[in-house]
Amino acid sequence: MHGFASKGNYDKLKEIWSLLELSQTKPNIQAYAAAFECLVNKKEPGSFDILQELSKQFLSNGFSFNDLFNKCFYVGNQREQVLKAVRLLNPSFEPHHSIENIYYTCSLLDHLNSQKSTFKCPAEGLFDEKKILECARKQLELEMSTTVKVQSVDNNSTPSQKVLDYRNKLEDLQEKWKETIRNAIARELESIRAQHNCLKSYRNVNIYPYLRVLNTEQYVDIIIQEVRKLAEGSETFSPTVNLLYRNLANQVRLRYQIKYKKNTKILEKIKAVYSDYCSWYMNSQNSDSQNTRQQWQQLVHKYKAMGADIEQDDKQWPSTVLNSIGKFLYNIIIKDIKIDVNIMKDNVEEEHLLPAFYTVFRGQCQHVKQEIKPHPVLSKLYQSSQPSDLVFDVTMIPMLSPPVPWTSINSGGYIAAKADLIRLPQQAILQWHRLEQTPKQELYPALDALNQLASIPWTINKPVLDVVLQVFRSGGSTKLDIPKPVSAFPSPQPILQSMSKDERSRLYKERAILKRQKAEMFSLWCDALYRLSLANHFCGKTFWLPHNMDFRGRVYPCPPHLNHLGSDMARSLLCFAKGKPLGSNGLNWLKIHCVNLTGLKKRNSVKERLQYAEEILPDILNSAQNPLGGNMWWAESENPWQTLACCIEISHALQSENPENFISHFPVHQDGSCNGLQHYAALGKDFAGAVSVNLTPSDIPQDVYSCVAAMVERERLKDAANDVVIAKYLDGFVRRKVIKQTVMTTVYGVTRFGARLQIAKQLKDIDSFPKDKVWSASTYLVAKTFESLREMFTSTKEIQDWFTECARVISQSCGQSVEWITPLGLPVVQPYNRKNKNHDYTKKSSVKMGEHFVLDMYDRPNVMKQKNAFPPNFIHSLDSSHMMLTSLHCERAGITYVSVHDCFWTHPNSVEIMGKICREQFVALHNEPILENLSNFMIKKYELPNYDITNDTQDMLNVFKQLPKKGDFKLNNVLDSVYFFS
């Protein structure tokens, strides 16, 4: 336990306690517990007297003995030792363990506290209790091993003899490396130990204690795995050394955390609680817990009276320590790992050893990034050996049993492995401090939303996986967005001396383009390989996806490869493990969803989409029955793979005896209509804006992109009539697709320069548009698009401008980062600060070297980034709040719910229920005085009332108080809007 005195240090304890008695500082209760635990078994004369004096001071400081068992954290048998000490003083003492408050303090969720409901298991019927406990045991075994091997789907044929020979060579090489690494670790550890015994090295970071937390064989495994990652990486891109150092050091920390939990008996307690939790998860109908967090908290309380505490405050290793540990291990990789450059050659017995890795410096603007690259022979050896498996960290793959519910910022996710609640850059510690300062009850809404999303079990859609694998193994498909292997690229044309200078220049440019394309395709191909290999590995199994969030509250699954947030192909591979009957309207929702995925009827009514689905039913069935040999109607869709998956589900439903009773595992989506603009329109009660983004009822969906395009075309016609040349060139080219991305991203802070690039790209893709006019035309269209948006969304622009001005005042005048609290109580801090000016320079040039991190608590913010990012980040935190509210209410309604930001998924039979909840929670959210609360928060946070009122502070106060004007839109209209989410 952190901070506990060692039991053999009695004299030191007396000395320290004498100092504490003289100190005016009130000792921490954890320190008292440490002293009680240290004294209890002492046999020296006077130890009991010290214990009595200690208890008097303890009680006089306002503590009670019961506080020792409710406000302290223990590991091992420390709780029992402290209890033994207290009973020496008060033999009749019995600790009373109070359970923490498990209910919401958020006004938006008050009604759920009094609502009587029981958690409905999302995996009901999939397992019995014995099977779920067996899955839990397997999951814990995987986490204890920290890595998982997965069979690669790259090539399922029998390897040739040559491939087997290369594998044997690689295996022999790795065995030699292991012995080399063992010797190198022993050598380097002895060197570090000796250095830190010298006075001259007192300024260095002492990493020796950190390096002793694992044994040599664990370090050998970590380094061997890192060698493989480096060898199999891209030729043209690799992470910078600082990132490599941190990632490698985190592997050490992960293994240490698991070892620590095991040695301190925390893991023993976790296993007991988790076992009971899994049993409850499958039999929750007899419980009064309303969600997974509440049940976990009750189980933790049940086991509170004995053993270690589960929810330990994880002590973060400093970034300097992480970098030093990573550098220590990488020095071994660079200095000691060698390869015989003749290893690929036949009949060459002479060994020529060279370093297997080397350092390169890659220019990037004014900076030079240091990278580590494998020797080409090593890369070729790995490639030629065609590895039959892939190795993943256990935190990068789904779980075989339900995730541990988040109950605090430190506890949740995997069983033994550590998951981060918030995805933050290394230098962003201010938000973490805000989270630590926030009472746990205020974080419950966000934590419960993560828990609800993580509680949904998934499985692999095998019919779709089979088709994707067939395309992947046959060389990929550009049309179907399945990446091709690098071998599919043509060899570059040779450059001959006889060629002219212009020809050689052209070929050099073509080679550079081909090299870049190959690198990009290799990256995409690897991504597809990982995803498909994992999908194949989990095929036929039930799995869960633990979730965490970014600093704004946007939610993501922890496993990065196999999840529902990926590409069209990635989403098509997943379906709900638990199926539900289609019911009376489920089949219709499948058909509507199929049409939605094609993108063909976006401006048609739901009724017309269903009618269209009936008309193309033969194409749907043909796609399902013969995906790659039929007319392949599905391949023309905007989302081909999800369309194919939906076609197959419709076909299976129609083949059943009664479609209403057909058990469907398929997720149907409901998408927000330009969700960011929806939030702006609701914030400003802007009626015109609300109409354009479907906050009001209408017979057909309103298309904001077409509306803006029409307004731009109106202005273009005026300019063309006034002989504006570029306006004439654009005749017939002001299309929805050209301005769509700019309209979509304007709500997220796109600049005019970025918008011009977006529009230029679309114009370039139009063959008939003159390429020499692209730049001037895109400049013209950007101006007209922004003018049209300002005209259509008056309040949106005013709110954006207010956000930007507030951020300028906070970051520039106050010199602080912009902060706010979401309507669900999550504190948000923008992690944008200035770069350190103390750059290193090379001796021969003024090129800036390396990466520089400054902690956002101690450096001035980057004013430009704070200003530009505040409007989009605040809107992201609002759409996250809406998603979380929908999540919590869907859980209470007992329906399946998952989200991809502003795209909500559920079973076909519960689309209407989810839609009703989604609309109700949007209205509830925006009925809150969001802008008023933000204004009050900023005035209080930046302490303007406490300043002497000068002209400057009065101006700042006026900015925060000068809220944008609101319109007359009635929020309740959203409740009747079919196309709000559709």
Side-chain angles (χ1 to χ4, degrees):
M1 175 179 163
H2 307 295
F4 265 50
S6 64
K7 293 184 178 179
N9 214 352
Y10 177 69
D11 293 333
K12 186 68 176 175
L13 176 67
K14 286 197 295 184
E15 178 186 339
I16 291 172
W17 199 256
S18 298
L19 293 174
L20 281 174
E21 287 180 318
L22 296 173
S23 171
Q24 298 300 313
T25 305
K26 179 180 176 180
N28 184 288
I29 190 171
Q30 197 80 43
Y32 278 115
F36 274 92
E37 190 259 342
C38 183
L39 281 167
V40 67
N41 290 320
K42 293 300 172 189
K43 305 299 183 184
E44 293 87 344
S47 59
F48 183 72
D49 294 335
I50 294 178
L51 184 61
Q52 285 183 314
E53 287 300 316
L54 175 67
S55 68
K56 288 178 183 177
Q57 185 171 347
F58 173 76
L59 296 171
S60 67
N61 274 323
F63 296 121
S64 69
F65 286 142
N66 213 56
D67 289 336
L68 289 168
F69 303 95
N70 284 300
K71 297 180 180 179
C72 291
F73 293 99
Y74 297 102
V75 296
N77 66 342
Q78 288 169 345
R79 184 187 304 276
E80 287 75 12
Q81 292 297 312
V82 173
L83 180 59
K84 183 178 177 182
V86 172
R87 283 179 173 165
L88 286 174
L89 301 163
N90 182 358
S92 62
F93 175 78
E94 287 294 336
H96 171 69
H97 299 284
S98 58
I99 187 169
E100 59 189 334
N101 182 7
I102 62 175
Y103 298 106
Y104 299 123
T105 58
C106 173
S107 60
L108 283 165
L109 298 169
D110 273 345
H111 61 284
L112 294 184
N113 290 330
S114 57
Q115 194 181 85
K116 289 188 176 180
S117 63
T118 301
F119 175 76
K120 299 175 179 63
C121 176
E124 186 180 2
L126 296 178
F127 302 96
D128 57 23
E129 188 174 328
K130 183 179 178 181
K131 180 70 182 294
I132 195 77
L133 292 175
E134 175 62 18
C135 290
R137 184 190 62 78
K138 290 180 180 177
Q139 176 62 30
L140 186 57
E141 283 181 0
L142 292 177
E143 292 185 33
M144 296 298 288
S145 66
T146 70
T147 58
V148 179
K149 284 189 176 181
V150 171
Q151 190 73 23
S152 172
V153 298
D154 180 18
N155 192 345
N156 60 348
S157 58
T158 305
S160 65
Q161 185 57 47
K162 197 167 188 66
V163 168
L164 292 175
D165 289 343
Y166 285 133
R167 288 182 183 177
N168 290 332
K169 287 183 178 182
L170 185 58
E171 191 174 330
D172 292 341
L173 191 59
Q174 287 177 339
E175 288 302 316
K176 292 179 182 177
W177 285 343
K178 287 179 181 179
E179 187 58 33
T180 301
I181 294 167
R182 291 185 191 102
N183 295 333
I185 288 173
R187 180 193 71 221
E188 295 298 324
L189 279 177
E190 178 58 28
S191 174
I192 286 181
R193 188 186 64 78
Q195 285 177 18
H196 286 288
N197 286 335
C198 298
L199 290 175
K200 65 180 181 181
S201 63
Y202 72 98
R203 291 178 182 272
N204 295 341
V205 177
N206 188 354
I207 62 169
Y208 184 77
Y210 291 91
L211 291 170
R212 299 300 300 172
V213 298
L214 301 182
N215 61 44
T216 300
E217 289 308 307
Q218 288 175 301
Y219 284 117
V220 170
D221 290 341
I222 290 171
I223 291 175
I224 289 294
Q225 289 169 24
E226 190 70 9
V227 165
R228 176 172 175 175
K229 287 180 187 176
L230 290 170
E232 294 179 341
S234 169
E235 293 180 13
T236 58
F237 172 78
S238 64
T240 57
V241 290
N242 285 325
L243 182 58
L244 288 172
Y245 291 166
R246 290 194 298 275
N247 289 343
L248 193 55
N250 278 322
Q251 293 298 316
V252 177
R253 184 170 61 174
L254 172 63
R255 285 162 173 79
Y256 163 68
Q257 287 168 335
I258 293 174
K259 180 180 177 181
Y260 175 79
K261 289 176 182 176
K262 183 178 180 181
N263 292 344
T264 56
K265 300 184 179 179
I266 295 173
L267 189 59
E268 186 179 307
K269 176 75 79 70
I270 290 174
K271 286 167 67 174
V273 174
Y274 187 70
S275 178
D276 283 3
Y277 172 76
C278 288
S279 299
W280 167 85
Y281 180 82
M282 297 307 302
N283 302 282
S284 58
Q285 63 275 10
N286 298 322
S287 164
D288 59 354
S289 294
Q290 297 178 330
N291 59 43
T292 57
R293 171 188 54 80
Q294 290 184 359
Q295 179 62 23
W296 185 267
Q297 287 173 309
Q298 291 187 29
L299 289 171
V300 169
H301 179 257
K302 171 186 169 184
Y303 285 90
K304 183 80 173 176
M306 63 186 82
D309 283 295
I310 290 176
E311 294 188 8
Q312 295 288 325
D313 179 16
D314 285 326
K315 297 298 180 182
Q316 296 293 319
W317 289 6
S319 58
T320 50
V321 168
L322 289 173
N323 282 337
S324 298
I325 292 172
K327 189 173 183 179
F328 169 86
L329 297 175
Y330 257 100
N331 281 341
I332 293 174
I333 293 175
I334 297 291
K335 288 164 51 178
D336 295 279
I337 304 294
K338 309 285 186 184
I339 185 170
D340 176 13
V341 293
N342 295 323
I343 197 169
M344 301 289 292
K345 298 177 182 177
D346 295 328
N347 303 320
V348 178
E349 295 183 4
E350 182 182 355
E351 191 176 59
H352 184 193
L353 293 176
L354 287 177
F357 298 93
Y358 55 93
T359 300
V360 298
F361 296 89
R362 191 185 302 278
Q364 193 176 71
C365 299
Q366 295 181 0
H367 297 270
V368 169
K369 302 294 186 183
Q370 187 181 358
E371 299 175 1
I372 294 174
K373 309 295 292 183
H375 193 288
V377 172
L378 180 60
S379 295
K380 189 175 181 182
L381 177 60
Y382 268 94
Q383 186 179 0
S384 300
S385 67
Q386 298 177 13
S388 61
D389 59 30
L390 301 169
V391 179
F392 294 95
D393 295 335
V394 72
T395 54
M396 299 184 76
I397 67 171
M399 293 180 66
L400 296 173
S401 57
V404 173
W406 288 102
T407 54
S408 70
I409 60 175
N410 292 310
S411 179
Y414 296 89
I415 306 171
K418 181 75 173 73
D420 292 324
L421 173 67
I422 304 280
R423 302 176 178 211
L424 288 172
Q426 184 187 18
Q427 74 275 18
I429 61 172
L430 190 55
Q431 179 158 359
W432 194 253
H433 279 268
R434 295 290 179 266
L435 289 165
E436 289 179 323
Q437 295 163 2
T438 303
K440 285 173 64 172
Q441 291 79 12
E442 293 180 20
L443 298 176
Y444 284 165
L447 300 182
D448 284 350
L450 294 177
N451 296 335
Q452 183 278 316
L453 296 168
S455 71
I456 304 299
W458 297 86
T459 191
I460 297 298
N461 193 331
K462 189 176 185 306
V464 177
L465 175 62
D466 290 342
V467 179
V468 176
L469 284 176
Q470 189 175 343
V471 175
F472 180 77
R473 286 169 172 160
S474 61
S477 168
T478 303
K479 181 179 180 180
L480 297 176
D481 203 23
I482 303 296
K484 297 183 178 183
V486 175
S487 58
F489 279 83
S491 300
Q493 186 178 338
I495 300 175
L496 306 175
Q497 285 298 112
S498 58
M499 292 178 175
S500 67
K501 184 178 180 181
D502 289 344
E503 284 181 308
R504 289 201 301 272
S505 177
R506 177 180 60 82
L507 288 177
Y508 278 125
K509 289 180 181 177
E510 288 180 359
R511 282 193 167 200
I513 292 171
L514 182 63
K515 186 178 182 181
R516 186 179 70 249
Q517 289 175 340
K518 287 176 71 173
E520 290 172 353
M521 187 58 69
F522 179 69
S523 178
L524 293 171
W525 183 85
C526 288
D527 183 61
L529 175 67
Y530 297 158
R531 179 171 287 115
L532 292 175
S533 297
L534 284 169
N536 192 55
H537 176 78
F538 282 98
C539 193
K541 301 175 184 177
T542 299
F543 56 89
W544 284 260
L545 299 172
H547 281 62
N548 61 8
M549 55 188 165
D550 68 14
F551 73 96
R552 304 161 300 186
R554 294 202 110 192
V555 170
Y556 303 85
C558 295
H561 302 296
L562 186 62
N563 63 51
H564 56 292
L565 254 70
S567 63
D568 168 54
M569 181 268 280
R571 297 183 187 191
S572 71
L573 297 174
L574 297 178
C575 54
F576 299 132
K578 180 176 172 58
K580 294 187 178 181
L582 283 179
S584 58
N585 210 25
L587 182 57
N588 285 343
W589 276 116
L590 281 176
K591 293 175 180 177
I592 293 166
H593 180 54
C594 187
V595 173
N596 287 346
L597 289 167
T598 66
L600 297 172
K601 299 291 179 180
K602 291 179 179 178
R603 304 192 65 181
N604 293 74
S605 67
V606 170
K607 184 178 179 181
E608 289 170 331
R609 295 178 203 181
L610 181 57
Q611 184 179 345
Y612 177 69
E614 298 293 351
E615 292 171 5
I616 61 169
L617 196 56
D619 289 326
I620 291 174
L621 297 177
N622 178 267
S623 297
Q625 291 156 11
N626 197 358
L628 298 177
N631 59 25
M632 290 190 68
W633 168 82
W634 63 275
E636 305 300 323
S637 168
E638 193 175 276
N639 301 284
W641 290 107
Q642 291 179 85
T643 303
L644 174 61
C646 197
C647 289
I648 293 171
E649 189 75 359
I650 291 170
S651 175
H652 289 165
L654 291 175
Q655 288 172 14
S656 65
E657 292 183 4
N658 183 353
E660 288 192 13
N661 295 331
F662 173 74
I663 303 300
S664 176
H665 299 256
F666 196 82
V668 171
H669 311 170
Q670 295 282 279
D671 280 300
S673 178
C674 203
N675 190 239
L677 285 172
Q678 287 180 327
H679 283 289
Y680 269 120
L683 284 173
K685 304 296 188 290
D686 179 2
F687 185 80
V691 170
S692 66
V693 290
N694 294 297
L695 296 188
T696 58
S698 61
D699 294 332
I700 60 173
Q702 302 300 306
D703 182 36
V704 64
Y705 311 114
S706 298
C707 292
V708 175
M711 294 174 72
V712 173
E713 175 63 10
R714 180 192 69 197
E715 296 304 308
R716 188 204 65 80
L717 285 170
K718 291 179 184 177
D719 288 342
N722 292 326
D723 292 328
V724 176
V725 177
I726 195 62
K728 292 180 178 179
Y729 275 109
L730 281 164
D731 186 16
F733 295 105
V734 182
R735 303 171 185 175
R736 178 185 187 274
K737 187 177 181 181
V738 171
I739 56 93
K740 177 183 176 182
Q741 189 179 9
T742 299
V743 174
M744 188 187 304
T745 55
T746 187
V747 67
Y748 298 123
V750 69
T751 62
R752 285 182 178 262
F753 178 77
R756 184 167 62 174
L757 293 176
Q758 293 170 349
I759 291 176
K761 182 179 183 300
Q762 296 298 329
L763 291 175
K764 284 178 185 176
D765 290 342
I766 301 175
D767 294 334
S768 56
F769 189 79
K771 299 298 178 279
D772 61 328
K773 302 296 180 184
V774 165
W775 203 240
S776 57
S778 60
T779 303
Y780 173 84
L781 284 180
V782 163
K784 295 302 177 186
T785 302
F786 275 51
E787 288 172 13
S788 299
L789 284 167
R790 185 182 288 270
E791 178 185 339
M792 178 178 285
F793 297 95
T794 308
S795 66
T796 296
K797 191 59 184 171
E798 290 178 2
I799 295 170
Q800 277 187 325
D801 291 344
W802 182 68
F803 283 156
T804 304
E805 185 61 14
C806 288
R808 184 195 65 77
V809 167
I810 294 166
S811 56
Q812 184 171 294
S813 302
C814 300
Q816 298 185 47
S817 295
V818 179
E819 300 183 35
W820 68 96
I821 295 176
T822 72
L824 291 187
L826 181 72
V828 179
V829 183
Q830 293 196 147
Y832 314 120
N833 52 294
R834 292 179 180 176
K835 294 289 184 183
N836 192 343
K837 293 182 179 179
N838 298 320
H839 294 292
D840 296 322
Y841 294 87
T842 59
K843 293 180 180 179
K844 296 184 179 180
S845 71
S846 61
V847 178
K848 298 168 187 176
M849 296 287 294
E851 294 181 5
H852 304 275
F853 295 99
V854 281
L855 301 179
D856 60 359
M857 285 185 72
Y858 307 111
D859 208 79
R860 289 184 66 84
N862 184 315
V863 176
M864 185 62 71
K865 286 187 176 180
Q866 292 284 344
K867 282 170 49 183
N868 291 341
F870 184 35
N873 284 341
F874 189 82
I875 295 301
H876 278 312
S877 73
L878 284 187
D879 72 43
S880 168
S881 296
H882 175 226
M883 184 281 296
M884 289 179 174
L885 284 169
T886 306
S887 158
L888 298 176
H889 286 82
C890 283
E891 182 175 48
R892 290 298 176 94
I895 67 171
T896 304
Y897 171 86
V898 295
S899 80
V900 182
H901 304 316
D902 63 343
C903 177
F904 300 166
W905 298 17
T906 191
H907 279 95
N909 71 342
S910 51
V911 174
E912 288 98 338
I913 301 172
M914 182 185 74
K916 182 174 182 289
I917 292 172
C918 163
R919 287 158 176 78
E920 289 172 348
Q921 295 314 307
F922 185 86
V923 172
L925 175 66
H926 283 284
N927 272 328
E928 294 286 299
I930 294 172
L931 296 182
E932 291 80 359
N933 288 346
L934 177 62
S935 172
N936 293 333
F937 173 82
M938 290 189 294
I939 291 170
K940 183 179 178 181
K941 173 68 186 175
Y942 303 105
E943 299 180 333
L944 291 185
N946 298 333
Y947 286 127
D948 293 330
I949 297 299
T950 63
N951 290 337
D952 288 343
T953 53
Q954 187 61 55
D955 289 343
M956 292 161 60
L957 196 59
N958 289 339
V959 168
F960 294 157
K961 285 185 173 180
Q962 198 167 350
L963 291 169
K965 294 178 182 178
K966 295 187 179 182
D968 57 359
F969 172 65
K970 304 300 181 189
L971 273 172
N972 281 347
N973 283 317
V974 173
L975 299 175
D976 301 317
S977 173
V978 173
Y979 302 104
F980 166 64
F981 264 64
S982 65

